[in-house]
Amino acid sequence: MASDIRSCLSGGIILKRYVCDACGWIYDPAIGDPENGVPAGTAWEDVPEDWLCPECGVGKDMFSPIND
């Protein structure tokens, strides 16, 4: 189901989820992080470089792709 949502939001391309290596929070492009200015449907590559994990505050360089 989640992959169907990611596919619909991205024009048929399934967007990868990323996990925070520090705390385990998952960035899901189907959900985004709207409370911090990242709308649903935003691919990881398009998340601003200065964005921080909403759970623990680390940067994008501390996230790893999830192989769904």
Side-chain angles (χ1 to χ4, degrees):
M1 177 71 166
S3 64
D4 293 340
I5 294 169
R6 289 194 301 272
S7 179
C8 289
L9 289 173
S10 62
I13 298 168
I14 295 178
L15 301 173
K16 280 189 173 259
R17 298 183 307 151
Y18 283 73
V19 62
C20 178
D21 297 330
C23 73
W25 187 84
I26 295 174
Y27 175 77
D28 186 338
I31 299 168
D33 183 18
E35 292 179 10
N36 292 297
V38 181
T42 302
W44 181 250
E45 295 77 17
D46 297 327
V47 172
E49 289 303 316
D50 62 350
W51 176 86
L52 301 174
C53 175
E55 190 70 27
C56 70
V58 300
K60 283 181 67 177
D61 60 328
M62 292 294 294
F63 280 73
S64 298
I66 296 174
N67 295 318
D68 289 329

